[in-house]
Amino acid sequence: MSYNILSQDLLEDNSHLYRHCRRPVLHWSFRFPNILKEIKHFDADVLCLQEVQEDHYGAEIRPSLESLGYHCEYKMRTGRKPDGCAICFKHSKFSLLSVNPVEFYRPDVPLLDRDNVGLVLLLQPKIPSAASPAICVANTHLLYNPRRGDIKLTQLAMLLAEISSVAHQKDGSFCPIVMCGDFNSVPGSPLYSFIKEGKLNYEGLPIGKVSGQEQSSRGQRILSIPIWPPNLGISQNCVYEVQQVPKVEKTDSDLTQTELDKTEALVTAEKVSSNLQHHFSLSSVYSHYFPDTGIPEVTTCHSRSAITVDYIFYSAEKEDVSGQPGAEVALVGGLKLLARLSLLTEQDLWTVNGLPNENNSSDHLPLLAKFRLEL
């Protein structure tokens, strides 16, 4: 399950988004029991939660989930922000191999001045067979600001680099990956297409168009090439770069001029490329449009907008992807999508007075996918 549960502080800071709601349904004391009821009802083995407020996490969310048999890992946003991302999984189903938090704020990189985070876990299914592959589960909440596509893409690249290092197996392949979160980008946008297609040529792309959240002319500055500086240590292939330290026995003068020229040439070649790539074959659990009508599914709905920004992506062979996610036999390292919880249209949601409402206590809907791990 991937679920942005709407931090109470953020709700109160953005009260203009919830003018359609009756006051009582916005109180945490009303919302939390509802959210917990949903989590119990769907009974997922793995939960990826966003906007988990730290004080609520410590006092209520974590104890409640632990009593339901979950082990919880949490990464708070940096910069004294009140919330963060959690990944919780059932003790009975998985053991924890590693916990890898990712901070997108980097004091040494002026571009990366936002406090968003990600969290990547490596889980081992508890099954009698010794041959069980590990599963890499990632969760994030990317920057909202529609005009800063440069930051969003860089945050995504940082998350992909971490997933790449965590999911990498001894034989050079990757274990199955499930990447969840609120990506603050809509289906078909350049950021979304990059996740699904594994490549993006961003030359000439305005930074306000990266996420497709709004079609206005604001944020028309073109993405710079490269988007992020070399000192971030992440290549255009979204992997950590091994710092090439020249082996010097005695002094620096041992480096011949040709060797120096060679290093220089490599650096410039890297600089001019406007192609981003990643090495995963990722599909979306959802198709984002209802097959019969072509009406968009939505994952979030409040006074200002109703769109899809939340996703569950998973390792899948591209050849097997038919028009209908959920129908395909996508087998990569053994992950096969069996089912998903239906989403709703904007119209459906306004018939129950939008979100949050009496029964659904976030401004996002939970996403739910059922996978089979083939051994």
Side-chain angles (χ1 to χ4, degrees), residues 1-3 38 42 286 341-343 360 364-368:
M1 176 195 254
S2 184
Y3 196 6
E38 271 187 295
F42 290 122
Y286 288 88
L341 177 70
S342 302
L343 287 168
N360 309 85
H364 291 247
L365 293 170
L367 277 57
L368 203 72

Side-chain angles (χ1 to χ4, degrees), residues 32-202:
F32 179 59
N34 256 359
I35 289 167
L36 197 59
K37 194 166 74 182
E38 271 187 295
I39 289 173
K40 268 187 192 164
H41 170 72
F42 290 122
D43 195 33
D45 296 324
V46 181
L47 308 172
C48 288
L49 305 175
Q50 304 89 35
E51 289 197 23
V52 179
Q53 195 166 304
E54 191 204 22
D55 53 351
H56 293 153
Y57 175 73
E60 295 163 272
I61 300 172
R62 182 178 179 167
S64 303
L65 291 177
E66 284 177 345
S67 72
L68 294 174
Y70 288 98
H71 171 92
C72 302
E73 292 292 339
Y74 179 68
K75 175 59 188 161
M76 192 177 172
R77 285 201 290 157
T78 50
R80 307 227 297 270
K81 294 288 188 290
D83 66 296
C85 292
I87 302 180
C88 313
F89 61 89
K90 289 207 176 148
H91 282 301
S92 57
K93 298 287 175 81
F94 298 97
S95 36
L96 181 61
L97 298 182
S98 75
V99 181
N100 312 274
V102 189
E103 295 186 352
F104 300 141
Y105 175 80
R106 285 280 295 267
D108 55 329
V109 180
L111 171 74
L112 294 171
D113 59 354
R114 306 304 159 96
D115 294 301
N116 309 79
V117 294
L119 184 59
V120 184
L121 301 192
L122 196 60
L123 301 177
Q124 181 82 44
K126 287 184 176 172
I127 45 177
S129 155
S132 145
I135 298 178
C136 178
V137 178
N139 183 21
T140 193
H141 188 176
L142 298 185
L143 177 70
Y144 165 73
N145 190 335
R147 299 188 294 283
R148 293 307 303 269
D150 50 348
I151 301 178
K152 291 181 204 252
L153 277 172
T154 308
Q155 291 181 346
L156 175 63
M158 293 170 81
L159 183 70
L160 290 168
E162 188 62 33
I163 293 171
S164 196
S165 81
V166 171
H168 204 264
Q169 301 184 115
K170 288 188 180 70
D171 65 357
S173 66
F174 295 106
C175 70
I177 293 157
V178 180
M179 181 170 79
C180 302
D182 179 341
F183 289 81
N184 273 314
S185 301
V186 303
S189 64
L191 186 139
Y192 171 89
S193 302
F194 173 50
I195 293 173
K196 280 194 70 172
E197 287 158 27
K199 55 184 193 296
L200 173 68
N201 183 351
Y202 59 85

Side-chain angles (χ1 to χ4, degrees), residues 244-263:
Q244 297 299 328
V245 182
K247 290 244 164 52
V248 178
E249 291 304 314
K250 293 190 287 278
T251 64
D252 286 354
S253 59
D254 289 358
L255 273 183
T256 64
Q257 192 52 46
T258 39
E259 281 177 284
L260 287 171
D261 291 346
K262 236 185 286 179
T263 11

Side-chain angles (χ1 to χ4, degrees), residues 187 192 196 282-292 297 311-330 335-343 367-371:
Y192 171 89
K196 280 194 70 172
L282 296 171
S283 273
S284 169
V285 160
Y286 288 88
S287 53
H288 316 307
Y289 297 91
F290 287 90
D292 310 334
E297 300 171 333
Y311 302 93
I312 300 176
F313 296 105
Y314 68 101
S315 299
E317 283 294 8
K318 288 291 184 263
E319 297 75 56
D320 293 328
V321 178
S322 59
Q324 273 306 94
E328 63 242 27
V329 285
L335 212 51
K336 180 180 179 183
L337 178 62
L338 300 179
R340 62 185 177 196
L341 177 70
S342 302
L343 287 168
L367 277 57
L368 203 72
K370 188 174 186 177
F371 296 103

Side-chain angles (χ1 to χ4, degrees), residues 147-150 153 188-194 199-212 219-225 227 274 276:
R147 299 188 294 283
R148 293 307 303 269
D150 50 348
L153 277 172
S189 64
L191 186 139
Y192 171 89
S193 302
F194 173 50
K199 55 184 193 296
L200 173 68
N201 183 351
Y202 59 85
E203 190 173 1
L205 181 63
I207 66 172
K209 292 273 185 266
V210 167
S211 63
Q220 291 311 297
R221 183 160 64 76
I222 301 299
L223 284 168
S224 62
I225 303 175
I227 302 174
S274 59
L276 286 186

